Amino acid sequence: MSKPGLVVFFFITLLVISVAASESQQQSPSYLEFVFNATDFSPEEYYDYIIVGGGTAGCPLAATLSLNHRVLLLERGGIPYGNPNLMNQDGFLTTLSNFDAFDSPAQSFTSEEGVPNARGRVLGGSSTINAGFYSRADQDFYQRSGFNWDLKLVNKSYDWVERAIVFRPQLRTWQSSVRDALIEAGIDPYHGFTLNHTVGTKIGGSTFDSYGRRHTAADLLSYAKSSNLRVAVYATVQRVLLASYSSHYGSRQSAIGVVYRDRIGEYHHAMVRDRGEVILCAGAIGSPQLLLLSGIGPRPYLSSWGIPVVHHLPHVGQFLYDNPRNGISIVPPMPLEHSLIQVVGITDSGAYLEAASNVIPFISPSRSVFIRSPASPLFLTVATLMEKIIGPLSVGSLRLASTDVRMNPIVRFNYFSNPIDLQRCVNGTRKIADVLRSRSMADFKFRQWYGGADFRFVGPQLPADQSSDLLMAEFCRRTVSTIWHYHGGCLVGRVVDRNFRVIGVDALRVVDGSTFTISPGTNPQATLLMLGRYVGMKILRERMRQN
């Protein structure tokens, strides 16, 4: 190449790099103007609404209520902005594998069955650590969930979320092939790109944009009236404060505020004004745990912990569910892009099929005499096909491990204790086998020296005899893992009423997935984001009628 040609080449290269860098650089989010470290707050302050948990439901709820009322949002974790592992899809696995006891954005816990799991501990909650897939709830969810849904407001609430943080993903090699394989496997019709839940194969929405940048529930705080909202990070709520009063029906309890602790150990009291409320949005693990620590739960159980019983509510922490995930992983013969869930196959047999591909570091055996450690890291592509069952019907529970709110409760999900769940898993894993047999998966097989071709599996393979219910059921039990869609623990009709109010306690609500009897659709993120906006609008309308 001539010298002038080299100059032009390097100029164009630098231009491309600078444009890409400027496009990928995120501006500082506007919500940071009203986000503060909890150490900056006074020992006692008063608000109309105090929301505990700045997660998937808590952020849209706070933004909505701030339009007419003074709101405090308390988040036990920090700010996601500026953390590349959180804000870029390539950091998904790193976030879910790097844990510490009190500070990591993802807090790990393990069920009594030995299944590892995770909770969000960062502003934006689990929407900041998840795979970003966005799909609205199925119609059956609205009919069976136990709430009286205003479906017109539901759809408006979805629209409100989607305008801000939902994008159409661009499929590349693995996701495109999975889409085609799902259709070949009989999961039809093909619906193209849609946010709605419908049987067949579809491309869903994503909270990652075209540059791979994550958008979270925290971004919905930009809708807030900034003068009415304060967000405290590193604010760990210890308990809800309750007071008794006399009514026509006798003595009743009412929430009057919360006690929270900042990062240096100082205590703060946040109190509600007249007609104000405390709203728990701490998730399916955090909300029932906080109710128990506040003296709301089964009387004998609380007494055994020495917790003063404020209100006997026997089902707090009961009816906890987790949708089991099962699947297979392969090493393809060619490098693949990093992709999280973008395509889903919605079957009519109780299972949903999804896929991901991840580039992970290859670690050679330590002190090997045959393999020298490479000078630079080696990376390996792993492609995964997985299925999640609907429901589920198997019921678990939660109980305290400590009176320290920072410590995870003890959780048991009782995976596949209901035989219907097990049969749905068998149906789903058989459908994975159909996908693997499709023509669209042929390119991901290794050619053998004798002329054949086969997959190279990482971890367990499907049973050779996939017609055997016993073998397929054993595979489901042996390979069970989570897809992080746990819910329940503050169930509607047992802990909260149809308006999300804690039964028997005034001025206290729970607004998150702990109230759900079933998981909504293929992935709950969309419905939880909608829920925060939806309940916020319902409360605003309530207050306007009262005025």
Side-chain angles (χ1 to χ4, degrees), residues 324-387:
R325 169 173 61 99
N326 296 83
I328 56 89
S329 294
I330 60 170
V331 176
M334 78 291 277
L336 290 177
E337 70 283 353
H338 181 95
S339 74
L340 299 177
I341 298 166
Q342 297 174 333
V343 172
V344 63
I346 300 173
T347 75
D348 56 6
S349 57
Y352 307 130
L353 271 66
E354 299 174 337
S357 55
N358 298 285
V359 180
I360 61 173
F362 173 77
I363 303 172
S364 61
S366 60
R367 294 187 298 277
S368 171
V369 296
F370 297 108
I371 305 175
R372 293 183 62 183
S373 296
S376 58
L378 298 176
F379 292 92
L380 188 69
T381 301
V382 175
T384 300
L385 287 168
M386 65 197 95
E387 65 83 33

Side-chain angles (χ1 to χ4, degrees), residues 26-37 41 54 59-60 62-63 66 73 75 77-83 86-87 122-125 127-128 164-165 214-233:
Q26 283 184 291
Q27 291 184 338
S28 176
S30 60
Y31 64 77
L32 290 181
E33 67 178 276
F34 47 81
V35 177
F36 307 94
N37 195 303
F41 284 70
C59 286
S66 74
L73 178 62
E75 167 53 45
I79 298 168
Y81 175 73
N83 184 325
L86 289 178
M87 303 313 294
V122 62
L123 190 63
S127 74
T128 310
I165 63 169
R214 184 192 291 276
H215 298 256
T216 77
D219 293 303
L220 298 174
L221 295 172
S222 62
Y223 280 126
K225 184 176 180 179
S226 58
S227 60
N228 272 350
L229 177 60
R230 297 189 82 200
V231 179
V233 293

Side-chain angles (χ1 to χ4, degrees), residues 136-155:
R136 294 185 178 194
D138 54 300
Q139 290 303 310
D140 193 46
F141 168 77
Y142 302 114
Q143 296 164 10
R144 294 177 52 200
S145 63
F147 297 106
N148 291 326
W149 295 99
D150 175 346
L151 292 180
K152 186 176 180 181
L153 181 57
V154 164
N155 288 325

Side-chain angles (χ1 to χ4, degrees), residues 184 260 284 449:
E184 281 188 67
Y260 67 94
W449 65 270

Side-chain angles (χ1 to χ4, degrees), residues 99-268:
F99 301 113
D100 59 46
F102 301 120
D103 292 317
S104 56
Q107 181 181 7
S108 68
F109 70 96
T110 302
S111 72
E112 286 194 303
E113 296 93 339
V115 175
N117 216 316
R119 311 164 57 187
R121 181 169 52 191
V122 62
L123 190 63
S126 294
S127 74
T128 310
I129 66 171
N130 67 15
F133 192 71
Y134 183 100
S135 184
R136 294 185 178 194
D138 54 300
Q139 290 303 310
D140 193 46
F141 168 77
Y142 302 114
Q143 296 164 10
R144 294 177 52 200
S145 63
F147 297 106
N148 291 326
W149 295 99
D150 175 346
L151 292 180
K152 186 176 180 181
L153 181 57
V154 164
N155 288 325
K156 284 184 175 180
S157 299
Y158 277 126
D159 290 341
W160 182 85
V161 171
E162 290 155 13
R163 284 194 297 270
I165 63 169
V166 181
F167 305 88
R168 177 173 181 163
Q170 299 301 312
L171 305 192
R172 294 174 65 188
T173 306
W174 177 242
Q175 295 290 334
S176 294
S177 299
V178 169
R179 174 199 59 197
D180 297 343
L182 290 170
I183 298 167
E184 281 188 67
I187 306 177
D188 49 23
Y190 175 54
H191 301 285
F193 171 72
T194 178
L195 301 179
N196 293 322
H197 183 102
T198 183
V199 171
T201 295
K202 72 165 196 167
I203 303 168
S206 176
T207 53
F208 290 101
D209 64 22
S210 59
Y211 298 107
R213 299 177 304 203
R214 184 192 291 276
H215 298 256
T216 77
D219 293 303
L220 298 174
L221 295 172
S222 62
Y223 280 126
K225 184 176 180 179
S226 58
S227 60
N228 272 350
L229 177 60
R230 297 189 82 200
V231 179
V233 293
Y234 301 113
T236 303
V237 174
Q238 307 292 301
R239 66 184 185 279
V240 179
L241 297 173
L242 299 127
S244 60
Y245 71 97
S246 297
S247 72
H248 297 298
Y249 307 101
S251 180
R252 285 184 64 86
Q253 296 292 329
S254 179
I256 59 171
V258 301
V259 178
Y260 67 94
R261 199 174 185 184
D262 63 31
R263 208 170 188 181
I264 62 174
E266 296 294 325
Y267 289 94
H268 304 253

Side-chain angles (χ1 to χ4, degrees), residues 439-472:
R439 292 187 305 275
S440 299
M441 288 286 108
D443 288 343
F444 302 99
K445 295 179 179 179
F446 279 85
R447 307 297 168 189
Q448 307 294 347
W449 65 270
Y450 51 81
D454 209 348
F455 296 107
R456 291 191 180 173
F457 291 93
V458 179
Q461 303 180 36
L462 292 173
D465 181 6
Q466 290 146 17
S467 65
S468 168
D469 283 355
L470 285 176
L471 289 176
M472 295 300 280

Side-chain angles (χ1 to χ4, degrees), residues 38 59 79 112 195 234 277 415 418 436 497 523 541:
C59 286
I79 298 168
E112 286 194 303
L195 301 179
Y234 301 113
E277 294 183 38
Y415 298 107
N418 189 301
L436 290 174
D497 65 17
N523 301 69
R541 292 177 181 181

